[in-house]
Amino acid sequence: MPDPGDARLADYFRLRDVNLRKSIETEHGLFMAEGEKVIRRALHAGYSPRSLLLTRRRLEALSGLAAAVDAPVYVVDDAVAEQLTGFDVHRGALASFHRRPLPAVEEVLRGARRVVVLEDVLDHTNVGAIFRSAAGLGLDAVLLAPRCADPLYRRSVKVSMGAVFAQPYSRLDDWYGGLEALRERGFQLLALTPGAAAEPLPDALARIGSAPVALMFGSEGDGLSSHWLEQADSGVRIPMAGREVDSLNVTAAAAIACYELVRPPTGG
Amino acid sequence: MPDPGDARLADYFRLRDVNLRKSIETEHGLFMAEGEKVIRRALHAGYSPRSLLLTRRRLEALSGLAAAVDAPVYVVDDAVAEQLTGFDVHRGALASFHRRPLPAVEEVLRGARRVVVLEDVLDHTNVGAIFRSAAGLGLDAVLLAPRCADPLYRRSVKVSMGAVFAQPYSRLDDWYGGLEALRERGFQLLALTPGAAAEPLPDALARIGSAPVALMFGSEGDGLSSHWLEQADSGVRIPMAGREVDSLNVTAAAAIACYELVRPPTGG
């Protein structure tokens, strides 16, 4: 069995060190998946595995997974896995996959009518959870601004439960003018904002009728940039109860807004 | 200025060490708030401060906060704050507050008609975000099972943006029979579950009409226990798009379910 210094295990090195991992994953064009279910979802989505790491304790339970992975399989003791990755690999399985080039923005927007656009959502947990909501509720596409956190970073993949593999998405390469791609396809751009002057989202959707809709969300702290707010057709808000709490976590706001967007218009 | 070893700063010691902090906070009956806005919300909710820690760099900007806190104020260099707490205190303000005894379950249920019940939600980020949704959308109360994560733990407080101070809540002391408190007050117990056999939530709410409703959510991995599922009046689900992604993150599910519960019945 390999030891933690074995060069074949380099893909799995110090998985909790975000900065180090970003540079390893960019340089080698890889991403990590964790746990049998998520690894199988990556395989099902057609991602090509680089290797699979299993802990010896879970080898028997995961032998079917090992058989399904067309790449080297490394079996190590739990202590080696922990020393290598920096955490307790309690699900017993980690896999490294090759990234693929993202589809072009035009490609993911072809035929799309209900889209989420994330400006600078910086937290991988939020990105993963929003992808899970978008995929689960059936949105057609997700677009990311250039600085939005990576959906294929380990934490995003994990929180999304693999939804990042199922949900079509692309990244705008131009923050300043990138929303034009939506506008020229007739999308109504709705900017989510807690401002009291914003229109309640249900009213905006009723007013818009059948036009395609893009829901825009900004960063955790400051929300959307003023430039993107100006680019939007309307500022919209989720109706709140008027207590001291005047806004929601971006994962919660995105879930509600996507739900309202796909909800049958007849109501309950 | 005090150094990191100063006993007066003991409340702020190693804030990222969850196990150590749980024992410090339980033993001394304290909780931590971070950043001016959240600290002010704790003060506004009537929590009594033990002390305030400010970084020297932010002292001038936060002098108003220092004046508002009726407790010792410690000013330290950034490096001391980081050495003490284990992270970069970039907002420049941390406060330690005395906990209060939680109100009795009966007390938070008095007059309540829309309630969230969390069984074993273990992640502080999820607990904080769910409190923020419940408070923002105007639910009357949150009840926690005995093993649910602590809403006053630093990470929960931070993610909630202080909603944990505004939202009435209590903790059941009996997991096995605790839901009786809701049943004997006429609540319909709706268990959120991704199972295909569950009733769509909007249909369940339309069927129930005007009875008070408790929305039940389970742990991140396994959902509600079979005992609590059996105790519920109905299993309900959020309608999904039927792709591979068959469930939502608990923060997203709770946000949507609370939104659907408080949504005016006339629809959009």
Side-chain angles (χ1 to χ4, degrees):
Chain A
M1 286 199 294
D3 66 48
D6 191 307
R8 294 170 297 176
L9 302 184
D11 284 3
Y12 302 93
F13 186 55
R14 279 171 51 188
L15 290 175
R16 297 183 73 170
D17 184 333
V18 180
N19 289 327
L20 175 72
R21 291 304 306 183
K22 280 183 180 165
S23 80
I24 288 178
E25 296 181 15
T26 303
E27 187 182 344
H28 298 286
L30 63 88
F31 71 86
M32 306 302 304
E34 205 172 341
E36 178 167 14
K37 187 184 271 189
V38 172
I39 292 169
R40 285 194 182 272
R41 286 181 173 166
L43 292 170
H44 181 75
Y47 283 99
S48 172
R50 288 163 60 96
S51 68
L52 174 66
L53 180 79
L54 297 177
T55 60
R56 188 160 59 168
R57 197 161 45 94
R58 298 271 296 144
L59 176 59
E60 194 172 341
L62 295 174
S63 59
L65 178 65
V69 170
D70 183 20
V73 177
Y74 304 115
V75 180
V76 301
D77 282 330
D78 282 63
V80 170
E82 182 162 352
Q83 209 180 325
L84 176 67
T85 64
F87 65 94
D88 175 18
V89 185
H90 66 280
R91 293 184 192 173
L94 284 166
S96 170
F97 284 89
H98 292 283
R99 289 185 183 239
R100 297 190 293 223
L102 284 182
V105 169
E106 298 67 39
E107 194 177 322
V108 300
L109 289 184
R110 193 170 297 134
R113 303 188 50 80
R114 298 187 291 203
V115 172
V116 164
V117 193
L118 303 182
E119 196 183 14
D120 297 346
V121 177
L122 300 176
D123 182 285
H124 292 109
T125 299
N126 285 331
V127 169
I130 293 170
F131 267 75
R132 189 168 166 190
S133 294
L137 294 168
L139 270 80
D140 300 315
V142 176
L143 293 182
L144 310 176
R147 282 198 301 263
C148 183
D150 178 12
L152 290 184
Y153 190 76
R154 181 177 65 94
R155 176 83 190 150
S156 311
V157 169
K158 182 177 177 180
V159 170
S160 84
M161 289 297 297
V164 291
F165 311 136
Q167 174 64 54
Y169 78 95
S170 184
R171 196 181 279 272
L172 303 170
D173 53 17
D174 171 20
W175 167 76
Y176 193 83
L179 294 173
E180 272 308 307
L182 289 158
R183 197 185 307 286
E184 64 197 24
R185 283 168 181 76
F187 277 87
Q188 284 285 306
L189 302 180
L190 302 186
L192 271 287
T193 160
E199 187 179 13
L201 175 62
D203 298 353
L205 293 174
R207 175 172 58 74
I208 287 169
S210 64
V213 169
L215 298 171
M216 299 158 58
F217 302 90
S219 77
E220 289 84 359
D222 300 324
L224 288 159
S225 67
S226 55
H227 177 60
W228 273 36
L229 279 173
E230 282 162 22
Q231 299 259 303
D233 293 296
S234 317
V236 297
R237 63 183 170 82
I238 292 164
M240 304 290 282
R243 289 196 200 156
E244 288 161 71
V245 178
D246 60 355
S247 68
L248 301 174
N249 166 284
V250 68
T251 289
I256 291 171
C258 289
Y259 176 78
E260 185 67 45
L261 181 58
V262 304
R263 197 167 59 80
T266 50
Chain B
M1 287 198 292
D3 66 49
D6 191 308
R8 293 170 296 176
L9 302 184
D11 285 2
Y12 303 92
F13 187 55
R14 279 170 53 188
L15 291 175
R16 297 184 73 170
D17 184 333
V18 181
N19 289 329
L20 174 71
R21 291 302 309 183
K22 280 183 181 165
S23 81
I24 287 177
E25 295 181 16
T26 304
E27 187 182 341
H28 298 286
L30 64 88
F31 70 87
M32 305 302 303
E34 205 173 341
E36 178 167 12
K37 187 184 271 188
V38 172
I39 293 170
R40 285 193 182 273
R41 286 181 174 166
L43 293 170
H44 182 74
Y47 283 99
S48 173
R50 288 162 61 95
S51 67
L52 174 66
L53 180 80
L54 298 177
T55 61
R56 188 160 57 167
R57 197 160 45 93
R58 298 270 297 142
L59 176 59
E60 195 173 339
L62 296 173
S63 59
L65 178 65
V69 170
D70 184 19
V73 177
Y74 304 115
V75 180
V76 301
D77 282 329
D78 283 64
V80 170
E82 182 162 353
Q83 209 181 324
L84 176 68
T85 63
F87 65 95
D88 174 18
V89 185
H90 66 281
R91 294 184 193 172
L94 284 166
S96 169
F97 284 89
H98 292 282
R99 290 186 181 237
R100 297 190 292 224
L102 284 181
V105 170
E106 297 68 39
E107 195 176 322
V108 300
L109 289 183
R110 194 170 299 135
R113 302 187 52 78
R114 300 188 289 203
V115 172
V116 164
V117 193
L118 304 182
E119 195 183 13
D120 296 344
V121 177
L122 300 176
D123 181 285
H124 292 109
T125 299
N126 286 330
V127 169
I130 293 170
F131 267 75
R132 190 168 166 189
S133 294
L137 295 167
L139 271 79
D140 300 315
V142 176
L143 293 181
L144 311 176
R147 282 197 301 262
C148 183
D150 178 12
L152 290 184
Y153 189 76
R154 182 177 65 94
R155 176 84 190 150
S156 312
V157 169
K158 182 177 176 179
V159 171
S160 84
M161 288 296 295
V164 292
F165 310 136
Q167 174 64 54
Y169 77 96
S170 185
R171 197 180 279 275
L172 303 170
D173 54 17
D174 171 20
W175 168 76
Y176 192 83
L179 295 173
E180 272 308 308
L182 288 159
R183 197 185 306 287
E184 63 197 25
R185 282 168 181 77
F187 277 86
Q188 284 285 308
L189 302 180
L190 303 187
L192 270 287
T193 160
E199 187 179 13
L201 175 62
D203 298 354
L205 293 174
R207 175 173 58 72
I208 286 169
S210 64
V213 169
L215 299 171
M216 299 157 59
F217 301 90
S219 76
E220 289 83 0
D222 300 325
L224 288 158
S225 67
S226 56
H227 177 61
W228 273 35
L229 279 173
E230 283 163 21
Q231 300 258 302
D233 293 296
S234 317
V236 296
R237 63 182 169 82
I238 293 165
M240 304 290 281
R243 290 196 199 156
E244 289 161 68
V245 178
D246 61 355
S247 68
L248 300 175
N249 166 282
V250 68
T251 289
I256 291 171
C258 289
Y259 176 77
E260 185 68 45
L261 181 59
V262 304
R263 196 166 60 79
T266 50

